[in-house]
Amino acid sequence: MKPFDAVLFDLDGTLCERTQDTDALYRGAFERVGVAPFGEPEELWASLSGPPDHDDQVGYIGAGFARLAARHGRSEVDPLALAAALTDRVDDRQVALVDGADAALTAARANGSVGLVTNGPERRQRPKLDALGITDRFDVHVYAFDLARRKPHADPFERALDALDVVPERALYVGDSLSYDVAGAHNAGLAAAWLRSDADDLNGYDPEYVLEALGDLRGLLGSDP
């Protein structure tokens, strides 16, 4: 008997990663605004608080630039102008599948229905799917940003399961975030397979499965060669 009737996936950080040159993106923002660069891209990412705010992406990135400017003594710089220049240069088509993603999607399809549940808006996520060539590998796409509630609320998962006609107890959700993917799956009654990153520990969460690499999903679904 197959372990699940449906496997649902997160997108960013789970199935794909950005390939755009982040250093060029970062330096280009300063060039666009016409100020001397300070800091490094890694410092900016570390200065961001929580997951991306798709409602106010410029404000979200701007807060990171403001923190970075304070640390580098550059309070004269307009952090929102830098944020606007950076976000305007982001190309959502510059992405690549993570190692094991193709095999994981193939195993999920052999198991049963396949769905995508992402917190991003369709206008940003659909170009990634198209560039990756995986749009048609899902039976349902749920872009939770375009709904009333997002992960970790149960609503996006329930919408996907309703479309697939699958009960929560027979579905698995695969994602890399404990506080959004694992928490959201459990709120909706799904089992969760957490894709561990190097620095993460469980922090009190209790996913049913922990994947050290996305390709490990094949063994979980009984699809190992």
Side-chain angles (χ1 to χ4, degrees):
M1 180 179 177
K2 61 184 180 181
F4 302 99
D5 294 327
V7 179
L8 310 180
F9 290 90
D10 172 50
L11 182 59
D12 298 305
T14 299
L15 288 174
C16 76
E17 58 191 1
R18 290 193 177 275
T19 58
Q20 191 168 8
D21 185 334
T22 55
D23 189 68
L25 183 68
Y26 186 82
R27 302 297 167 191
F30 286 92
E31 183 178 350
R32 175 80 64 86
V33 175
V35 298
F38 56 86
E40 298 295 334
E42 294 75 15
E43 290 183 80
L44 175 62
W45 314 146
S47 297
L48 301 178
S49 178
D53 182 352
H54 297 288
D55 284 319
D56 183 15
Q57 194 170 29
V58 170
Y60 172 73
I61 299 292
F65 270 123
R67 297 180 186 109
L68 201 59
R71 291 203 295 270
H72 287 267
R74 296 293 301 277
S75 59
E76 83 284 359
V77 173
D78 183 349
L80 291 177
L82 282 172
L86 187 146
T87 55
D88 187 55
R89 293 169 55 86
V90 171
D91 183 355
D92 289 315
R93 298 166 298 175
Q94 293 193 38
V95 289
L97 291 173
V98 304
D99 289 341
D102 183 72
L105 287 168
T106 298
R109 172 58 65 200
N111 172 84
S113 298
V114 184
L116 178 80
V117 178
T118 169
N119 261 358
E122 182 173 5
R123 62 182 173 80
R124 300 193 68 92
Q125 303 300 66
R126 182 60 183 261
K128 297 175 188 176
L129 297 175
D130 291 343
L132 294 165
I134 61 172
T135 307
D136 295 335
R137 298 184 72 172
F138 303 98
D139 300 303
V140 62
H141 306 82
V142 175
Y143 304 99
F145 177 84
D146 302 327
L147 305 178
R149 294 183 177 86
R150 307 164 199 165
K151 299 182 295 182
H153 288 285
D155 294 14
F157 301 93
E158 292 171 349
R159 182 173 292 243
L161 294 181
D162 285 346
L164 298 174
D165 195 24
V166 172
V167 297
E169 296 78 13
R170 295 292 302 160
L172 174 71
Y173 188 66
V174 184
D176 67 312
S177 169
L178 289 165
S179 58
Y180 285 84
D181 297 331
V182 173
H186 285 173
N187 284 337
L190 287 74
W194 175 52
L195 180 60
R196 186 198 298 270
S197 64
D198 291 341
D200 285 335
D201 59 41
L202 290 173
N203 291 324
Y205 291 93
D206 189 24
E208 284 76 6
Y209 310 96
V210 176
L211 306 176
E212 301 299 333
L214 190 57
D216 295 344
L217 184 67
R218 294 176 300 169
L220 194 163
L221 297 177
S223 299
D224 265 341

